[in-house]
Amino acid sequence: MMLGTRDRQVRELMDDPDCDPARLAATLHRFDTVNRLISGWGRVYRRVVRPFLRSLGRPARVLDLGCGGGDVIARLARLAADDGLRAEWLGVDPDPRALPVARRRSGAGLGFRCVDSTALRGEGERFDLVLSNHVLHHLSDDELLRFAEDSLALSSGLVLHADIARSRTAYALYAVGITPLAPGTFLRTDGLRSIRRSYRADELADALSPAGAWTVRRPAPFRLLAVGRGRA
Ligand SMILES: C[S@@+](CC[C@H](N)C(=O)[O-])C[C@H]1O[C@@H](n2cnc3c(N)ncnc32)[C@H](O)[C@@H]1O
């Protein structure tokens, strides 16, 4: 497998509107486990999100753009509640197939809507923290810039976009590690395709540069975190 360059052509099975709905639902459910194992949000919560929410000194509004099955924002909401931090949490995704899975995680202060970043921006919505997980690598160059600009326009504080850092080691480890979780889902094929579509840190910094000032960090092994300051 050549991973020296980004594979922009490869498409993920879950991005096909006609993909098997049962496998898609199983994939969205199991993202919870996969994201806990690989996404690094526990560390990002402790190092970035928690200090930021504390610094506000008031209840925050937090938005997850492209929330999929909603597990990342649900986990962050639980972590913040455990730390005594009050906030209002909203997950949005334009894919109506994701919403039934996400809405099972709804609770006090946590809701989900079927809307994309541009439409939400058009509503004049504003949040203290806007984040995403595993959205950037799905997007075309134009979509990436629009998504990044939308996220800055929706935030009056911090913007955090987390994604995979492409590497041969990540590919090899994922190919082996995903085996017990993959049956009945798209996790194996789509995870490997995701890694092929993903950026390296310098590539992501270049790709985002027309859409404002971003810093691309490496918060955990095989992870990227694009950090921006909201403009709202
Ligand atoms: C691989 S999924 C990631 C789901 C979830 N964040 C996770 O980590 O499991 C990428 C999601 O981004 C959503 N998406 C794509 N463009 C978007 C946009 N402009 N605004 C909001 N969501 C978008 C897609 O519908 C898709 O559900």
Side-chain angles (χ1 to χ4, degrees):
M1 176 54 53
M2 297 300 290
L3 288 156
T5 52
R6 264 195 90 209
D7 187 342
R8 297 152 179 268
Q9 308 305 326
V10 69
R11 291 274 163 253
E12 292 175 42
L13 300 174
M14 66 177 290
D15 287 340
D16 176 355
D18 296 323
C19 72
D20 178 349
R23 283 176 93 86
L24 178 67
T27 304
L28 289 165
H29 278 291
R30 218 160 289 165
F31 274 156
D32 191 3
T33 309
V34 176
N35 280 330
R36 273 172 192 277
L37 292 171
I38 67 162
S39 75
W41 274 102
R43 192 180 294 190
V44 173
Y45 171 76
R46 289 189 300 277
R47 294 192 181 168
V48 184
V49 174
R50 181 167 62 190
F52 174 72
L53 297 180
R54 278 203 178 125
S55 74
L56 291 174
R58 58 170 170 78
R61 289 195 85 204
V62 183
L63 172 67
D64 181 355
L65 279 177
C67 64
D71 57 282
V72 169
I73 192 166
R75 181 169 169 221
L76 293 173
R78 270 195 310 276
L79 289 169
D82 289 348
D83 285 328
L85 292 162
R86 284 188 301 135
E88 186 190 315
W89 306 82
L90 177 66
V92 302
D93 202 296
D95 187 341
R97 302 170 304 171
L99 268 291
V101 179
R103 285 199 171 120
R104 289 195 192 172
R105 305 184 200 277
S106 301
L110 171 60
F112 295 94
R113 286 185 56 195
C114 191
V115 63
D116 71 17
S117 54
T118 306
L120 194 64
R121 176 183 179 180
E123 293 177 17
E125 281 278 11
R126 176 183 291 210
F127 299 83
D128 298 292
L129 169 60
V130 173
L131 60 95
S132 78
N133 187 62
H134 295 167
V135 179
L136 302 187
H137 73 263
H138 277 264
L139 306 175
S140 68
D141 292 354
D142 287 350
E143 289 168 341
L144 177 77
L145 295 182
R146 170 68 69 90
F147 184 77
E149 281 165 1
D150 289 343
S151 66
L152 294 174
L154 283 160
S155 175
S156 56
L158 199 55
V159 182
L160 302 172
H161 295 303
D163 212 336
I164 305 158
R166 188 180 79 255
S167 79
R168 288 189 177 82
T169 313
Y171 193 91
L173 289 175
Y174 186 86
V176 175
I178 200 61
T179 303
L181 295 169
T185 74
F186 297 133
L187 285 172
R188 183 180 186 82
T189 304
D190 278 4
L192 293 174
R193 290 184 180 183
S194 293
I195 297 171
R196 288 164 61 191
R197 280 194 67 92
S198 292
Y199 296 85
R200 293 195 166 138
D202 55 341
E203 295 168 346
L204 183 57
D206 281 353
L208 286 172
S209 61
W214 295 90
T215 308
V216 177
R217 299 192 203 162
R218 305 204 50 153
F222 316 119
R223 300 297 298 174
L224 300 179
L225 185 69
V227 183
R229 282 276 152 200
R231 295 183 185 139

